[in-house]
């Protein structure tokens, strides 16, 4: 059963109270709100935003941080919709619980984030793509972008689904230990990756060492995806998250412009 609190589309996670920098994108000219997908009997809420009354739209999957789809992620979906995309942001933790209610990050990781398997996430995203194909989206113009936890998912889903034309990963984890639920990391799939992914990373990110970026570059060099990295020297983790103290307006805007250009360059837009 779906917890309706995960479908509000407003508010923020208890672990990250918003600052005064919050950007709000209106819904003028858009059709926006929650839809429900049935994935093997599980209802998965998805925040959807798109230009009203249009079809054959490019599709972008918007993957949340560890905090789930709160107001910032919904706003990012609206930002893409204003650019002409059908944007879908699924609640990928719906089976594990509501991440917005948990105030401390270690508990959030232990009880919710670590329990969402890569296979489950890929299956939910496959269902989003299938829904988009039936509801005005052009699956030949499929992109994916994600932040933090969603950045890692961006790399992995780009490896999983060959229909993805391009991805943009914002400061997602690249390497680490594996287990029965998290069976691989981006560095593991990089040599065989065929989808061009743009990695937007931060030199001051204490959670993602730059040596893992270098490892990822070396792994990508073994393949032919055409993926690239931009590392912002003055930015820290979550520099795009305008609702957090980590927000870096200059680098966030540059990253957004690069993301849109990357999608255009690789046939998503």
């Amino acid at each position: 059963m779906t917890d309706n609190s995960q479908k509000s589309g407003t508010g923020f996670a208890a672990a990250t109270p918003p600052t005064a920098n919050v950007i709000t994108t209106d819904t003028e000219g858009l059709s926006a709100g929650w839809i429900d997908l049935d994935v093997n009997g599980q209802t998965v809420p998805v925040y959807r935003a798109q230009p009203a009354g249009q079809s054959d739209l490019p599709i972008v999957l918007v993957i949340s941080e560890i905090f789930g789809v709160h107001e910032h992620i919904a706003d990012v979906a609206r930002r893409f919709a204003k650019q002409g995309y059908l944007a879908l942001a699924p609640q990928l933790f719906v089976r594990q619980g509501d991440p917005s209610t948990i105030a401390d990050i270690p508990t959030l990781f232990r009880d919710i984030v670590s329990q969402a398997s890569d296979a489950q996430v890929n299956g939910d995203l496959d269902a989003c793509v299938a829904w988009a194909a039936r509801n005005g989206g052009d699956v030949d113009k499929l992109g994916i972008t994600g932040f933090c936890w969603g950045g890692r998912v961006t790399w992995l889903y780009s490896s999983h689904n060959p229909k993805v034309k391009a991805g943009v990963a914002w400061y997602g984890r690249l390497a680490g230990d594996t287990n029965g639920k998290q069976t691989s990391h981006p560095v593991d799939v990089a040599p065989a990756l065929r989808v061009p992914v743009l990695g937007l990373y931060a030199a001051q990110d204490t959670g993602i060492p730059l040596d893992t970026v270098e490892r990822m570059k070396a792994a990508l060099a073994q393949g032919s995806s055409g993926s690239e990295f931009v590392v912002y020297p003055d930015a820290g983790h979550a520099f795009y998250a305008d609702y957090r103290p980590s927000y870096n307006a200059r680098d966030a805007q540059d990253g957004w412009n690069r993301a849109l250009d990357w999608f255009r360059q690789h046939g998503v837009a």
Side-chain angles (χ1 to χ4, degrees):
M1 181 177 295
T2 301
D3 180 352
N4 284 330
S5 68
Q6 297 195 50
K7 297 176 65 176
S8 66
T10 59
F12 293 87
T16 54
T19 67
N21 295 320
V22 176
I23 295 171
T24 301
T25 303
D26 62 50
T27 58
E28 183 178 357
L30 304 181
S31 177
W34 290 92
I35 61 171
D36 285 333
L37 300 188
D38 182 278
V39 184
N40 299 321
Q42 169 68 53
T43 298
V44 177
V46 181
Y47 186 84
R48 182 261 317 175
Q50 68 184 83
Q54 297 186 30
S55 59
D56 297 321
L57 296 168
I59 304 162
V60 62
L61 304 174
V62 180
I63 315 303
S64 74
E65 313 142 308
I66 62 172
F67 311 111
V69 182
H70 53 61
E71 178 53 34
H72 172 65
I73 298 300
D75 200 86
V76 172
R78 294 193 294 272
R79 295 172 201 180
F80 275 108
K82 292 280 189 177
Q83 298 291 324
Y85 288 86
L86 167 54
L88 298 173
Q91 282 285 27
L92 297 170
F93 301 127
V94 67
R95 298 167 185 78
Q96 291 76 32
D98 185 353
S100 71
T101 64
I102 298 177
D104 67 288
I105 289 176
T107 300
L108 178 57
F109 267 112
R110 185 191 68 225
D111 293 350
I112 292 184
V113 178
S114 67
Q115 302 306 311
S117 72
D118 294 340
Q120 173 232 295
V121 168
N122 285 339
D124 288 353
L125 295 177
D126 286 344
C128 287
V129 175
W131 183 92
R134 300 189 302 269
N135 291 274
D138 182 350
V139 293
D140 290 325
K141 296 182 177 180
L142 174 62
I144 182 172
T145 191
F147 305 87
C148 183
W149 180 84
R152 173 182 176 272
V153 170
T154 295
W155 290 103
L156 294 181
Y157 191 72
S158 296
S159 174
H160 165 80
N161 185 355
K163 291 291 289 183
V164 175
K165 283 292 184 68
V168 179
W170 301 75
Y171 36 84
R173 186 181 181 188
L174 297 168
D177 296 331
T178 58
N179 54 56
K181 294 183 183 293
Q182 288 76 46
T183 56
S184 62
H185 289 291
V187 71
D188 303 314
V189 302
L193 185 66
R194 295 293 179 265
V195 173
V197 177
L198 175 64
L200 300 173
Y201 283 71
Q204 306 304 316
D205 190 336
T206 58
I208 302 176
L210 288 180
D211 71 302
T212 64
V213 174
E214 294 307 314
R215 283 178 58 195
M216 186 66 177
K217 289 179 180 178
L220 288 166
Q222 299 174 40
S224 58
S225 69
S227 298
E228 297 178 5
F229 276 88
V230 175
V231 178
Y232 293 95
D234 300 322
H237 190 73
F239 65 84
Y240 188 76
D242 52 74
Y243 71 100
R244 298 174 66 177
S246 54
Y247 179 56
N248 181 313
R250 179 193 62 193
D251 294 341
Q253 186 62 54
D254 184 79
W256 174 251
N257 292 340
R258 289 177 184 271
L260 295 177
D261 287 345
W262 189 260
F263 284 150
R264 283 191 290 264
Q265 178 183 346
H266 293 287
V268 179

